[in-house]
Amino acid sequence: MRLLLFLGMIAFACVLAGSYGMFHNQISYAVGPDYFYAYKFQQFRIPAAQHGPIGAAMVGWAASWWMGLVVGVPIAAMSFGIPNLSLATRAFVTSAIIVVVLTLGLGLASLLIPPPMAFLPIPLNVSDPEAFGQAAMMHDTSYLGGLIGLVVGVIYMGYKVRHARRTT
C-alpha cells in the first residue's frame, strides 16, 4: 500500500510540475513571444501550426514535468517517516504546493527586475529584445525557484516527520 502511495505522490508531482509549466509559459509567452518563436518552439520541435499559446503550453509541459521527479521523489520518500497515510499524503501535497507557490512567486518577481541584456544571447530575428530577455529571465528564475522550493519543501516535510514521530 505504501509503495502505491509513493508512486501516486510522484505521479501527482509530475502532473503538478507539468501543469505549472503550461501555466507559467502562458505568462512568459504573453511577456515575450519572441522567446518562443526564436528559441523554444525550435528547441522542443513544436510544429509551426501550433506556434502560439498552445505551443507555449506544450513547451511548458515538456520542460517541466520532470521537475516533478526531482521534487517529488525526495519529498515522497520522506513521507515514509509519517506512519499515518492520511497525514503523510496531506504533508506531501502541502509540501508540493509550497514548491509551486515559491517557484511561481520567484518567476513573477523576476519580471520586476530588468533583464541582464549584456549577458543574454539575443537571436538576430528578435523584434523585442527586452521582452525576450524578460521571458528568458522568468524561465531561468523559475528553475532556480523550483530548487529553492525543493529545499523548503524538504525542510517542511522534515518538520512534519519530526512532529508525527513525537505524537506517535
Side-chain angles (χ1 to χ4, degrees):
M1 180 65 179
R2 198 65 189 233
L3 180 59
L4 286 176
L5 179 61
F6 177 75
L7 294 174
M9 288 175 173
I10 294 169
F12 173 79
C14 289
V15 170
L16 185 62
S19 299
Y20 167 83
M22 294 170 73
F23 175 74
H24 169 277
N25 276 11
Q26 295 309 297
I27 297 168
S28 60
Y29 180 83
V31 168
D34 275 347
Y35 181 70
F36 290 87
Y37 286 101
Y39 181 49
K40 289 294 182 181
F41 291 147
Q42 288 77 22
Q43 180 186 16
F44 286 88
R45 295 183 178 101
I46 303 298
Q50 294 173 324
H51 286 189
I54 297 288
M58 293 167 66
V59 168
W61 175 269
S64 300
W65 73 266
W66 58 270
M67 280 297 287
L69 295 173
V70 172
V71 172
V73 169
I75 294 173
M78 291 180 73
S79 77
F80 282 105
I82 302 173
N84 181 300
L85 294 181
S86 176
L87 292 176
T89 302
R90 198 169 347 167
F92 174 82
V93 169
T94 301
S95 186
I97 290 170
I98 288 169
V99 172
V100 168
V101 168
L102 280 171
T103 304
L104 181 60
L106 288 171
L108 291 175
S110 74
L111 295 176
L112 302 174
I113 302 166
M117 299 304 289
F119 300 102
L120 293 174
I122 308 291
L124 296 176
N125 60 340
V126 168
S127 62
D128 188 347
E130 185 79 18
F132 179 95
Q134 286 291 163
M137 198 159 110
M138 184 180 179
H139 280 254
D140 292 345
T141 304
S142 289
Y143 283 113
L144 176 63
L147 293 176
I148 291 169
L150 170 59
V151 170
V152 173
V154 164
I155 291 168
Y156 173 80
M157 188 58 93
Y159 166 78
K160 296 307 273 183
V161 167
R162 279 191 309 278
H163 179 40
R165 288 185 179 187
R166 280 189 212 137
T167 58
T168 306

